[in-house]
Amino acid sequence: QLQLVESGGGLVQPGGSLRLSCTASGVTLDYYAIGWFRQAPGKEREGVSCIRSSGGTEDYLESVKGRFTISRDNAKNTVYLQMNSLKPEDTAVYYCAAPVDLYYCYTDVSRYYYWGQGTQVNVSS
């Protein structure tokens, strides 16, 4: 059973950086796609980025392009989301997830079945 755990969230000032980690247990992540999502208070969950087993990436959120980078380290069974030049509007709970078929990236949040518990990111001065 695939289990995902996010870490690395916290409070950061505008313009700062954070690196979120999504570590898997129960299975080896090598062959699986992993997506990062976020949900701000009162808003729907939205896709940020996704990385396939090949290392190919898909970016879903125009507002973070050029600032956020997804990557993976299969040796550590971990997927990362490097977030730079953070803005107050990036404040949200960030989740990682694997799709129901485990292999493909999707823009549709409902196609993701395995979710972590989330990590809070607060961007504030």
Side-chain angles (χ1 to χ4, degrees):
Q1 178 75 14
L2 173 61
Q3 293 182 321
L4 301 171
V5 177
E6 302 95 336
S7 61
L11 174 63
V12 63
Q13 292 186 342
S17 297
L18 284 174
R19 188 177 76 162
L20 306 183
S21 299
C22 172
T23 302
S25 62
V27 298
T28 305
L29 269 188
D30 297 36
Y31 303 107
Y32 303 144
I34 296 292
W36 279 102
F37 301 81
R38 70 184 188 184
Q39 188 166 19
K43 295 187 177 181
E44 292 187 354
R45 193 169 298 188
E46 58 184 359
V48 177
S49 188
C50 183
I51 188 165
R52 297 185 292 276
S53 60
S54 63
T57 62
E58 299 181 15
D59 297 323
Y60 302 135
L61 209 55
E62 191 65 33
S63 61
V64 307
K65 286 182 179 180
R67 299 190 295 122
F68 291 10
T69 303
I70 191 171
S71 63
R72 66 192 302 153
D73 185 341
N74 289 338
K76 295 183 178 180
N77 229 27
T78 299
V79 171
Y80 302 101
L81 185 67
Q82 178 67 44
M83 305 187 298
N84 299 326
S85 302
L86 282 161
K87 303 176 181 180
E89 51 264 43
D90 295 319
T91 294
V93 178
Y94 284 73
Y95 301 88
C96 63
V100 62
D101 58 24
L102 297 177
Y103 301 116
Y104 299 104
C105 288
Y106 300 98
T107 57
D108 185 351
V109 174
S110 68
R111 299 300 297 268
Y112 290 81
Y113 182 78
Y114 303 91
W115 291 87
Q117 83 289 350
T119 185
Q120 178 72 48
V121 172
N122 289 310
V123 185
S124 175
S125 55

